[in-house]
Amino acid sequence: MEAIWLYQFRLIVIGDSTVGKSCLIRRFTEGRFAQVSDPTVGVDFFSRLVEIEPGKRIKLQIWDTAGQERFRSITRAYYRNSVGGLLLFDITNRRSFQNVHEWLEEARSHVQPHSIVFLLVGHKCDLEAQRQVSRQEAEKLAAAYGMRYVETSARDAINVERAFTELTRDIFELVKRGDITIQEGWEGVKSGFVPNVVHSSEEVTKSDRRCLC
Amino acid sequence: MSANESPTDPAAEQMVEQASATTPESPTEAPSDVSPDIAPTRKTRRRPEHKPPPADDPSPQEVSESKPESPKASNESAVLQGGWGYWGSWGKSLLSTATATVATVGQGISQVIEKAETTLGIPSPEELSAQAPQEENTDGGTAGAEGEAQDDTAMGGALGMLSSLSSVVQSTGKTVITGSLDALEFIGKKTMDVIAEGDPGFKKTKGLMIRPTTLSQVLREAKEREEQQTSEDLSSDVEKKAHYGMLFDEFQGLAHLEALESLSRESEIKVKSVLTSMSGGELAQLKADLEEVSEPFSLMEFEDDDDDTKEDSDGVEFAKELRDAMSRLQLSVTADKLTQARTNIHDRIADVKSATPVSTTEEDEKDEADEMAVPQHTPEDVHALAISSLAELTAKSIELFHKVAQVVLHNASGNAQISTGDQAKVLAQITIMLCKEISLLSKSFTCCLTTVGSNEKGEVLNPLITGVFLEASNSATYIQDAFQLLRTVLQLAHIQRTADFAQ
């Protein structure tokens, strides 16, 4: 049953222009790599279900933002209603790595009073020969900001699933612990519908969602 | 008391207007209740006025709830409430006719009113006013009924139906006494509410006409209701059912719509603040300019009765026209996703057609051969495909408008040679094209349905066909409403461009 999910998480994907945000998302949601991709206009929307534990599905609503500066004022408006985010840079483009600070700063200043769980993504890891950012460097930066770091490739489908599911799991844990709560007027986390008729294998879904609301 | 009623009038007028807009299409149609294969819903809704701001337009529920507060009103409604059981019994009969009536909404509101009147068994105004003073003291049943009326959102099913009827009766009784003309209008409107409760699809349309909510709210509610339903009857065979609202969301229509709405709202605020900061000749000039930008939004004409002769089943012509129009906008936004969706839909229709044995149909233009190879499609399949296609095309249309809004606002200083007013005109043309395409699509799907379901009984096939037309009509409405959201966006873009030009 596709429609049944426990929570909906809204994730935002940010990073410099041409680091491969849309390609990564499309690999994740459509399972294929788009060779040619026009620059994103403003914001695009994607969604996919992720099963984090047997019978527990999370609906991810993924907001793909334009990296281009001219759309920045639009994309800024979307931080507030996101619970998590993937911050991408291109491992073959040092500039995009240097801008990671800036992106984080921008996100922090626009997400108030909420906070976003970020995952740092070093994208295009299939292009090892052209690498300009070492893994250690990136890991260090991620650790400094308390983020996980994952290297991905949309072209070769490396770690794409992992990047999204790890972020989803982290958020799910925070929700379970009550560190993140569902709030009226905030779209970051929403509660789904739990079926009245629960299949025996899925009985777990019943217990732990009520207390959080 | 008139203060309570007047806010609902524009809505009622709108409904009458819609009804009259659809009526002329089937003048020869027999007034039978079940004639869904005639297409009352095909006509796109004309919508010249801008929506009134929400504050001026309380929902019908609020109205009916606030009424009993006046002591006079509650006494009068007590007259009607006295026989609660009596009123309860016709509720059922109305319920059963509601769905059938939806099929013939196109025949005009008068019929609905007539039906409501006869079904309700409302006494004449004279009778009522004569009775009222005598029975003023029989207050007993009112309190309970009032409570129920207020609770009626909480209660589902037949009980909710009855309680909303009781509020119809309460307010109706009062209205009849104060003015019988108003009463007629009011009964008609209330009847629509009641009908809508029996038919969630219709409720969406109605919601757009009356409720002070935004379009995305209406669609979101529909989606959530459907998700709730789906999760409730998980055990049954739900995959077969086609839920427009859920599909529309799956195609990201809701997300784009909400984003577009928020851009539109922000733009409106900014335009207003610019206007308040100006005065004198400058203000007059800007107002005139903005008026010009707004014009294409109120002059929309949908003459899709005659144009249907043109054959464009593969959507090639549509794609070309749309591409031309988009290039005239000079916004570097393409409609590729939309035309691609249209092409895919066409392919799917072709699949269904080729899989349908020719022997049972009259039209023999198709190629024969592969009767055994391809699996048979059921009418339910075709219906699900139709609903999904309509939801997809609508979602892509709204996505297109959202893209346009974003680029218009952030490319304002760009190199477009075309004026904002002309862009608005092109967008109005695009809206018409999209609505026509939706209409064409619903026609090919219902054609398909009749072919595929030629062996089915009318009871099976007719609701499916009605469903397709209904959602097609809703789709066209959503597209037009989304187009209206661009008005303030273009106005703001005009202001930005003028400012950039001056620098």
Side-chain angles (χ1 to χ4, degrees), chain A residues 80-164:
Chain A
R80 208 191 76 86
N81 277 313
S82 307
V83 65
L86 279 85
L87 172 45
L88 263 73
F89 70 90
D90 173 358
I91 63 155
T92 69
N93 174 351
R94 182 129 200 110
R95 183 82 224 150
S96 71
F97 178 65
Q98 285 160 344
N99 286 338
V100 164
H101 299 276
E102 230 175 86
W103 282 107
L104 281 171
E105 281 312 308
E106 176 163 282
R108 296 259 145 97
S109 61
H110 288 95
V111 74
Q112 301 296 347
H114 308 281
S115 63
I116 297 186
V117 182
F118 270 115
L119 177 93
L120 186 64
V121 177
H123 197 42
K124 305 191 187 174
C125 74
D126 54 302
L127 302 173
E128 190 59 46
Q130 297 158 49
R131 183 189 279 271
Q132 292 181 3
V133 181
S134 77
R135 178 185 277 272
Q136 290 90 328
E137 250 185 310
E139 274 171 350
K140 213 174 127 194
L141 179 79
Y145 284 101
M147 296 184 283
R148 280 178 195 272
Y149 176 63
V150 177
E151 293 201 338
T152 58
S153 162
R155 186 194 304 266
D156 294 354
I158 301 166
N159 284 342
V160 176
E161 290 286 319
R162 200 183 127 205
F164 281 95

Side-chain angles (χ1 to χ4, degrees), chain B residues 49-369:
Chain B
E49 328 89 334
H50 186 59
K51 264 194 223 168
D56 302 341
D57 187 9
S59 77
Q61 220 148 36
E62 281 164 358
V63 173
S64 59
E65 273 171 25
S66 64
K67 276 181 176 169
E69 274 165 31
S70 137
K72 195 174 163 229
S74 70
N75 279 339
E76 280 158 7
S77 55
V79 176
L80 294 167
Q81 279 312 294
W84 171 231
Y86 167 67
W87 293 111
S89 61
W90 52 251
K92 210 177 151 202
S93 72
L94 190 55
L95 175 64
S96 56
T97 54
T99 317
T101 314
V102 171
T104 53
V105 170
Q107 288 176 26
I109 191 125
S110 57
Q111 204 195 346
V112 176
I113 291 172
E114 208 177 281
K115 180 170 278 177
E117 266 193 314
T118 51
T119 330
L120 290 167
I122 304 272
S124 77
E126 290 84 354
E127 260 173 67
L128 270 173
S129 47
Q131 278 174 359
Q134 296 166 14
E135 295 185 32
E136 245 168 26
N137 293 328
T138 50
D139 214 328
T142 322
E146 256 174 56
E148 273 175 295
Q150 273 152 12
D151 277 346
D152 71 4
T153 41
M155 285 186 287
L159 197 55
M161 184 81 184
L162 285 180
S163 62
S164 82
L165 280 167
S166 81
S167 69
V168 178
V169 172
Q170 282 178 353
S171 12
T172 306
K174 189 191 62 182
T175 323
V176 168
I177 290 163
T178 48
S180 46
L181 263 182
D182 282 352
L184 272 180
E185 213 168 64
F186 193 76
I187 294 167
K189 202 175 83 55
K190 273 295 171 189
T191 310
M192 287 300 213
D193 291 346
V194 173
I195 289 167
E197 290 207 18
D199 189 311
F202 179 70
K203 192 165 190 170
K204 272 186 278 175
T205 321
K206 186 219 70 170
L208 286 166
M209 296 186 283
I210 294 166
R211 291 247 192 108
T213 49
T214 59
L215 178 58
S216 67
Q217 256 172 295
V218 173
L219 280 160
R220 174 185 293 281
E221 275 167 29
K223 183 199 84 169
E224 281 169 1
R225 228 181 1 255
E226 287 161 5
E227 276 175 347
Q228 185 83 60
Q229 276 167 15
T230 315
S231 61
E232 272 162 10
D233 34 63
L234 181 68
S235 51
S236 69
D237 189 15
V238 271
E239 273 139 312
K240 289 271 170 192
K241 285 189 195 156
H243 291 299
Y244 183 92
M246 270 165 73
L247 290 161
F248 180 73
D249 181 49
E250 238 164 73
F251 292 116
Q252 307 302 334
L254 204 48
H256 281 288
L257 183 57
E258 282 174 351
L260 176 58
E261 277 172 352
S262 96
L263 278 180
S264 178
R265 258 195 316 270
E266 284 167 28
S267 305
E268 187 172 7
I269 293 166
K270 285 181 189 160
V271 169
K272 274 189 183 143
S273 83
V274 169
L275 281 173
T276 48
S277 73
M278 285 181 164
S279 58
E282 205 186 12
L283 179 64
Q285 174 63 47
L286 181 60
K287 272 191 173 162
D289 285 0
L290 295 186
E291 194 47 51
E292 201 190 315
V293 174
S294 305
E295 217 165 274
F297 290 89
S298 44
L299 290 176
M300 288 183 66
E301 290 287 338
F302 295 98
E303 309 138 351
D304 66 340
D305 3 43
D306 41 23
D307 249 19
D308 298 343
T309 40
K310 82 162 191 228
E311 265 303 318
D312 182 31
S313 62
D314 56 359
V316 170
E317 193 58 29
F318 167 72
K320 190 182 160 294
E321 271 182 44
L322 189 58
R323 208 176 302 122
D324 288 353
M326 289 310 291
S327 70
R328 265 181 284 148
L329 279 179
Q330 301 181 19
L331 284 173
S332 64
V333 180
T334 66
D336 292 353
K337 269 172 128 176
L338 202 156
T339 46
Q340 186 58 50
R342 175 65 183 90
T343 313
N344 295 346
I345 292 166
H346 164 254
D347 292 348
R348 277 176 252 148
I349 296 178
D351 283 351
V352 172
K353 280 192 176 155
S354 65
T356 308
V358 191
S359 53
T360 49
T361 67
E362 300 87 54
E363 30 186 302
D364 290 297
E365 41 183 79
K366 312 176 248 315
D367 46 308
E368 348 59 50

Side-chain angles (χ1 to χ4, degrees), chain A residues 1-3, chain B residues 226 229-231 233-244 246-247 250 375-389 449 452 456 460 463-464 468:
Chain A
M1 262 334 297
E2 278 289 292
Chain B
E226 287 161 5
Q229 276 167 15
T230 315
S231 61
D233 34 63
L234 181 68
S235 51
S236 69
D237 189 15
V238 271
E239 273 139 312
K240 289 271 170 192
K241 285 189 195 156
H243 291 299
Y244 183 92
M246 270 165 73
L247 290 161
E250 238 164 73
Q376 272 285 329
H377 292 272
T378 67
E380 284 79 14
D381 291 344
V382 179
H383 173 257
L385 179 62
I387 301 301
S388 152
S389 303
L449 264 176
V452 170
E456 300 278 349
V460 179
L464 295 177
V468 172

